[in-house]
Amino acid sequence: MKQRKKQGSVFRQLVTSYILFAVLLVAGLYVCLFGVLLSLGGGTIESLAPYDMIDENGQVKDLGSLERNGMWIEKLDEDYHILEVYGQKQDKPQSYTQDEIYEYLVTDNMVDTDTPAARYRGFINTIKLGGEKYYYFVKAERNILSLSYNYNAAGSGAGQRIVAVFFVVFTLFFFGNCYLMSRYLSRKIKKPLSEITVGMEQVINHGVDQVRLDFRAQKEFEEIRDSFNIMTERLENEKREKRVLEEKKNRMLLELSHDIKTPVSTIKSYANVLEEGLIREEDLRGYYQTIDKKAVRVDELVNEMFLMLKLDNPEYEFEIKKTDICELLRTICAGYYEDLEAKGIEMHIEIPETPIWAGIDQKETKRVIENLLGNIIKYNQTGQGAWVSVKENNETVEIQIQDDGEAIAQEIHTIMFDPFVRGDQARSSKGGTGLGLAIARKIVEKLGGEITYQYEEGKNSFLIKLFKKERA
C-alpha cells in the first residue's frame, strides 16, 4: 500500500492557523470599515469629506450622501446671510455673526456655548463666482461628524525611535501570543489524541478485549471516546458470540456424529450377522425392521440437520403469505387428534370462529406446531390432556400449546432450544432427534416472532408470538 506523506504537527498547524486567522481578521475588519464608508458615501469616500462636497463652481457633488448622513449645506453671502440651502435644514438660524461661525468651527472639547453650535458643527468653504464671494457652510450633528487633532509621532527623530520600539514590542507580543495560545491548544488536543492512539495500538496488537478509553476532554473528544468504547464493546461481544456459536457448532457436530454412530453401528452389525447367515428364519423379519427403523432415524437426523443449516443461511427466504391462523391450527389439530386419543390424551381446542390473519410461511409455521404436538405424544407419559389456543392482540397473534405431562427439568430451561437437547438429556436413540425445538425457535425468530416456555398451573406451556405484519 502506498504510504502517504506525513503532515506537520498539530502545534505547527495551530500556530500557522492562528497567525493566518489574525491576519484575515484584521484584513476583514478593514474591508468591512471600507465598505461602511463606501455605503455612507454613496460609492465614494471623497463625498464624506466636508471640504470636498462642493466643487469649484459651487455645485454639490452628491446630495444623496449628504441627506443620507443627516447633513446639509447653507450658501452664505459675505455678510453670512443664508441664500440657499442644500439638503434638509435642521436648525433655525437664517444668518450668523463671525463669532457664531467660529463657534461652529471649533472642535468638540472646546465648545462652550448655549447656541445651536453646541449641537451642530460646521465646515466652511469659500468660493468666488462671477466676482462675488460666497461661503458654503456644511453643517451636521457633532455625534455624526467629529473633528480632532492627530499627533504624528514619526514626524521627529525621537518619535520615530518610539514608533520603532513600539512596533518591535507589538510584533514580539503578537507572535508570543500566537505561540503561547497555540501551545496551550496543542496540549489540550494532544492529550486526548494520545489516549486514543494508545487505545488503537492496544486493539491492533492485543485485540479488543477489555480495551476502554477513560479520559476527560472537550465534548468532541469525549464523543470520540464514547464511540471508541461502544465499538470495542460491540467487537468484544461479537467475538464472544462468535466463540459461543463456534462451541455450539462443534457440540452440534459432536452430538450429530454420536447420534448417527449408534444406528449406523446397529445397521452394520445386523448386516454382518445377516450376511453370515447366523439368524434363524423366523427372526429375519425383526432384524429387517430394526435395520429399517435405524435407517429412518439416520434419515431424520440428516434431514433435520440440513433444515437447521438451511435456516441459518441468510439467503434462505420464507414464502410469506397472508394466512388465517385459526384455520391453519384447526387443520393441524385435526391431523393429530386420533394420535393423541390413542395415547389417552384428550385435546382441548380454544380457537375463535372469526379469522385471525398474519403474514407467515404456512409450511414452516405448520412444522413448528406439529413439532410441539409431536413432543406431547412422545414425552407426555403421565398426563391426560393437551390444550391448543390462539388469541389476537393489537399487533401480534399468540399461539399457546400446553400439556399436563411431567415438567421439563429446571436445569435445561436455558438450553432447551439448543440443538440436541432432549428432556432426559440421554444420548441414546430413544425419543426424538433433539433438533425439534431448536428448529422451531429458528423458524419463529426468522418470522420475526418469539417462542418461550414456562411451567404454570401444572402444565408445560409453549407460547408463540407472531406479528400480524411482516417485520423488516
Side-chain angles (χ1 to χ4, degrees), residues 11 38 58 82 122 202 254 291 333 402 454 471:
F11 175 68
L38 285 177
I82 298 176
Q202 289 180 347
L254 181 64
I291 291 174
C333 290
Q402 300 172 301
Q454 61 179 345
R471 305 186 83 188

Side-chain angles (χ1 to χ4, degrees), residues 308-326:
M308 281 280 294
L309 295 174
K310 185 169 67 172
L311 291 171
D312 282 332
N313 187 353
E315 295 182 0
Y316 175 61
E317 296 182 358
F318 284 166
E319 295 181 7
I320 304 299
K321 295 181 181 179
K322 187 177 181 181
T323 304
D324 181 3
I325 300 296
C326 297

Side-chain angles (χ1 to χ4, degrees), residues 297-310:
R297 176 164 176 77
V298 171
D299 184 62
E300 287 178 353
L301 282 168
V302 172
N303 288 336
E304 293 199 354
M305 191 65 195
F306 175 74
L307 179 59
M308 281 280 294
L309 295 174
K310 185 169 67 172

Side-chain angles (χ1 to χ4, degrees), residues 177-280:
N177 182 51
C178 291
Y179 175 84
L180 293 175
M181 195 66 181
S182 301
R183 194 74 181 173
Y184 170 76
L185 292 175
S186 175
R187 295 184 67 178
K188 295 288 286 186
I189 294 174
K190 198 169 182 179
K191 182 179 178 181
L193 284 179
S194 298
E195 294 280 352
I196 295 171
T197 302
V198 170
M200 294 299 294
E201 290 176 350
Q202 289 180 347
V203 171
I204 293 171
N205 297 328
H206 307 292
V208 298
D209 293 345
Q210 301 301 318
V211 178
R212 300 291 185 271
L213 297 180
D214 185 16
F215 61 81
R216 300 285 297 175
Q218 288 72 27
K219 177 182 177 183
E220 290 76 10
F221 287 111
E222 290 188 348
E223 289 177 351
I224 295 174
R225 176 202 65 195
D226 294 341
S227 298
F228 179 88
N229 290 339
I230 292 172
M231 178 193 70
T232 55
E233 185 176 357
R234 287 181 178 176
L235 289 173
E236 191 174 337
N237 290 336
E238 289 177 3
K239 183 179 178 181
R240 189 184 303 111
E241 290 173 0
K242 185 177 180 181
R243 185 166 56 247
V244 171
L245 289 174
E246 191 69 23
E247 292 173 355
K248 285 185 176 181
K249 178 182 176 182
N250 293 335
R251 190 186 72 187
M252 186 169 65
L253 292 174
L254 181 64
E255 300 288 0
L256 178 63
S257 64
H258 183 280
D259 277 17
I260 290 179
K261 181 180 179 180
T262 301
V264 168
S265 298
T266 302
I267 292 172
K268 184 178 179 181
S269 61
Y270 276 36
N272 290 335
V273 171
L274 289 171
E275 185 179 11
E276 296 293 332
L278 302 176
I279 307 302
R280 293 180 299 178

Side-chain angles (χ1 to χ4, degrees), residues 44-108:
T44 60
I45 296 179
E46 290 81 0
S47 61
L48 294 176
Y51 293 109
D52 292 333
M53 291 182 177
I54 305 295
D55 62 17
E56 59 184 9
N57 296 318
Q59 299 297 319
V60 178
K61 292 182 179 180
D62 189 351
L63 184 59
S65 296
L66 193 74
E67 294 178 335
R68 186 163 50 250
N69 293 296
M71 303 165 65
W72 72 95
I73 299 176
E74 298 172 355
K75 183 179 179 181
L76 310 179
D77 60 17
E78 293 186 13
D79 295 326
Y80 306 113
H81 292 92
I82 298 176
L83 301 176
E84 191 174 353
V85 176
Y86 303 95
Q88 185 68 38
K89 182 175 172 62
Q90 298 183 24
D91 59 1
K92 296 181 180 180
Q94 297 297 317
S95 63
Y96 306 94
T97 64
Q98 192 171 8
D99 291 338
E100 289 174 340
I101 291 292
Y102 174 76
E103 289 178 349
Y104 279 102
L105 299 179
V106 298
T107 56
D108 296 337

